[in-house]
Structures are given as structure tokens and as C-alpha cells.
Amino acid sequence: MTLALKWAERGLLTTAPNPRVGCIIVKDNCIIGAGFTQPPGGNHAEIEALHDAAVKGFDVRGATVYVTLEPCSHFGRTPPCCEALIRAGVARVVAALQDPNPLVAGQGLARLKAAGIEIVCDVLADAAQEMNIGFFSRMQRGKPWVRMKVAASLDGKTALADGQSQWITSEAARDDGHAWRARAGAILTGIGTVNADDPQMTVRALTVARQPLRIVIDSKLAISPDARVLAGAGSLVVAAQTNPGKEALLRDMGCEVIFLPNATGKVDLSALMQELGRRQINELHVEAGCKLNGSLIRAGCVDELLLYLAPSLIGDGMPMFALGALELLQHKRLLRFHEIRQIGEDVRILARFN
């Protein structure tokens, strides 16, 4: 199963909105086939592994199949994998964990068992779920796993008071940040960041087959058509107040505009998360300024902080989050450290909200 998880990693940037799944086929204590889920519309991991075994001339009858997620039991873009395994005549299927998709949710394992195949489940389940944390979030909560990335000095400043921020962290940390961008289905920022920095919000530090959807929260629909985040088709602008002329202009440029107002005339952030879930976004990567960061946290929309801390002190400057003052210390927002690692000269912290 450990090897199957390594194969699943090969689809880290390509399988969405499908889960990242790896499969290993073993017979007579030898690995005879391996595969991982291909981009949407392509083969799932089990089919790839069966094909790999066939190409090598191995007979899979009586073999054991190790797969990092329950084999699917429904017709989606591809036929059900459990039926392929039944037809192949395998003797045993070891799944890391059950598929959270309501269309599967144990039915795949049940059909395999009904066909006389031995079933084992919950093997390295935590690691398998971590691999697909966004897929599980979307299936179980109807919204993506939201990861907020911030690069700051050791005293928690993301820029000087005048907005200068290039560069606080090292090139190694910036490249690592692009790798996190690449695994996300969408990258979100705000109009404040667009006006201040004119970012591209694309993956550039590594070669990718597809760029994440770029999303800009812009309540008043004030974004400049020349903003680099809009260059090329595929950007989404989320507004709260209508501006028919600007809306038509942006749509003519190939951008999508949607309106999700709340009672105060701002974008309803919780509604946006549900909308992104409906659009099959598994992981949302946030790179924004302190105001939007604070708003997202206060709205309960953030699952995880991805912090890069540089070994430097800035003093007065821009904070990571605009959260306002607390009246009581016990009202502080609690997180738990998930991972701490040094990246180049900097420290990377993954911290999750409780």
C-alpha cells in the first residue's frame, strides 16, 4: 500500500476533480502491475494496473490488488473499476479506505465481496485520505479544502508599510509555493492584491499540464481589464455589486463574472465556497492581502495555513491577517501544527484550524 500511495502521487497535479489513486497488483509475492489515475476521462488506477500487467504478459487471476481508494462502482466518465476487477478474476482487494463519493460509498467493495473476492479495508487510511484531502472535503462538506498561503518575516510582516514585499522569503520558498499552487484546482486573491501587485497568479516554477482557475474577489467589480490575472481565458471574477458595462467587457475578454452578495454589500464568502464545491474544485489555494485573509478566517472558510517564515525582522509593516482585537484571550482562534519543515533559508509551517 505504501508503494500504491507513491504511485498515487504521480497524479498529484493531473487527476482533479477525480481523486489521486494508485494501484499495485501482486501475485506470488511479485509485483506484476502498477498504475495511477489518469487525467479526467482517462483510465482509473485499477485499469492502468491491469493494463500494465497484461502488457508485461502476466495473468492476474488469483492476484491481490492494493488500491488507495475503494474501486468505483458507477458509470462516470469511465466504466466501474470493480466490474473490471471481477472480470479479471483477482482473488483479493486491499483498499486503503472507503470512497466518500455517495455514488460509491461502500458499494464497490460490496460488489467485489458479492463476487467472491476477499476484501480488506482501512490500510494506511490516514495517508490515503491526506492524499485526497480536497476530494474528501468536497464529497463530505460540499466545498473545497481551503489552504491559505502567506510569506512573512519572523515578526509576522508580509510587506513594508508602503507595500514593498519582493522578496521577503527565499527563491526556494517561492518555488515551493508554486508547487502548492499547482496541486490546487483554483487560486484565489482579492482586488486589493491585484491593485497593489498586479500578480499573474499562475504556476511558473514547474511545468504543468493545466493552470489552476484564477479567482478574484472584487465586490465593486472595479478590476482593470489590463490586470495580469485576467490575461488569457479562464479567470473568474466574483462581485457583489453590478456594473453592466464592466461585466460585458470582462466576459468579452473570456472571463466569467458571478455575483454573490451578502447583506453588507460584500461577497458572501461562504456561498462562494459552496459554489466552488459545485464546480468540482477540490483544493482552493488562497494568496491574498491581510484584509481578505482576515475576512476568510472570520467567515470560517479556511482549513489550513501554509506559512513561510523568513529569518528576518521588518518591524512596522503589513500583517498577515486583519482580524481585529479580541476582548478576551480565550476567544483566540486555535490551530494545530500539522507539519514544520525548513525550505531553503525559511521555515514552512502547515497549521490547521481545530
Side-chain angles (χ1 to χ4, degrees), residues 4 26 53-54 107 146 167 204 208 215 223 248 267 280 299 310 317:
V26 176
Q107 297 180 56
V146 180
W167 296 104
R204 299 183 299 280
V208 292
I215 305 172
I223 192 168
V267 170
Q280 297 188 309

Side-chain angles (χ1 to χ4, degrees), residues 5-343:
L5 286 165
K6 290 184 179 299
W7 273 78
E9 285 183 14
R10 300 188 183 196
L12 189 67
L13 309 183
T14 58
T15 65
N18 293 332
R20 301 141 180 160
V21 181
C23 181
I24 300 294
I25 303 176
V26 176
K27 186 174 182 180
D28 299 329
N29 294 320
C30 294
I31 293 172
I32 63 173
F36 64 98
T37 297
Q38 299 301 295
N43 290 333
H44 288 187
E46 300 93 321
I47 308 304
E48 285 288 298
L50 289 170
H51 177 71
D52 183 49
V55 168
K56 295 174 180 176
F58 290 111
D59 182 357
V60 301
R61 286 177 296 180
T64 295
V65 175
Y66 294 86
V67 61
T68 60
L69 193 65
E70 174 187 3
C72 64
S73 58
H74 67 294
F75 278 88
R77 294 183 180 90
T78 59
C81 292
C82 65
E83 297 299 331
L85 294 173
I86 292 170
R87 288 195 305 271
V90 303
R92 185 168 176 255
V93 172
V94 181
L97 75 174
Q98 184 174 299
D99 193 330
N101 187 342
L103 297 174
V104 184
Q107 297 180 56
L109 295 176
R111 287 169 70 171
L112 292 169
K113 186 175 181 180
I117 297 173
E118 181 186 349
I119 298 299
V120 179
C121 196
D122 294 329
V123 177
L124 299 183
D126 289 345
Q129 182 165 346
E130 189 71 27
M131 175 76 65
N132 288 299
I133 194 165
F135 180 75
F136 272 77
S137 174
R138 181 166 65 85
M139 288 296 158
Q140 295 174 338
R141 307 186 303 173
K143 60 183 181 179
W145 179 264
V146 180
R147 182 178 296 114
M148 178 177 285
K149 179 255 184 179
V150 183
S153 60
L154 206 56
D155 53 348
K157 299 302 186 294
T158 62
L160 301 183
D162 64 2
Q164 293 183 57
S165 62
Q166 296 182 347
W167 296 104
I168 292 176
T169 53
S170 65
E171 183 177 0
R174 297 195 296 275
D175 288 350
D176 189 71
H178 275 253
W180 286 96
R181 281 185 183 183
R183 65 176 284 167
I187 301 173
L188 181 144
T189 193
I191 187 62
T193 298
V194 171
N195 289 340
D197 301 332
D198 194 21
Q200 297 180 64
M201 289 297 172
T202 55
V203 178
R204 299 183 299 280
L206 65 162
T207 301
V208 292
R210 59 113 181 113
Q211 288 286 344
L213 172 69
R214 293 171 294 174
I215 305 172
V216 179
I217 294 182
D218 179 13
S219 292
K220 298 181 180 179
L221 207 56
I223 192 168
S224 168
D226 297 325
R228 294 199 298 172
V229 73
L230 303 180
S235 296
L236 172 65
V237 179
V238 187
Q241 303 174 29
T242 59
N243 182 333
K246 177 65 71 64
E247 182 182 350
L249 176 59
L250 294 175
R251 286 179 171 156
D252 287 344
M253 293 171 55
C255 301
E256 184 180 1
V257 181
I258 62 173
F259 295 90
L260 294 172
N262 63 14
T264 64
K266 301 290 187 179
V267 170
D268 187 327
L269 299 174
S270 295
L272 174 59
M273 298 306 136
Q274 295 295 323
E275 173 63 21
L276 296 180
R278 286 191 291 271
R279 291 171 180 244
Q280 297 188 309
I281 300 297
N282 290 339
E283 295 182 23
L284 177 66
H285 182 93
V286 177
E287 292 193 28
C290 64
K291 291 182 179 180
L292 181 53
N293 283 350
S295 295
L296 286 163
I297 291 172
R298 288 196 303 272
C301 293
V302 182
D303 297 301
E304 180 175 64
L305 299 180
L306 172 62
L307 304 178
Y308 295 90
L309 297 181
S312 62
L313 300 174
I314 287 179
D316 291 342
M318 302 296 292
M320 292 188 281
F321 322 104
L323 292 172
L326 295 177
E327 293 183 1
L328 298 172
L329 188 58
Q330 55 261 41
H331 293 164
K332 63 184 180 292
R333 292 171 175 82
L334 298 177
L335 299 93
R336 56 184 173 83
F337 291 125
H338 179 71
E339 181 186 83
I340 301 174
R341 180 179 299 182
Q342 185 162 351
I343 305 292

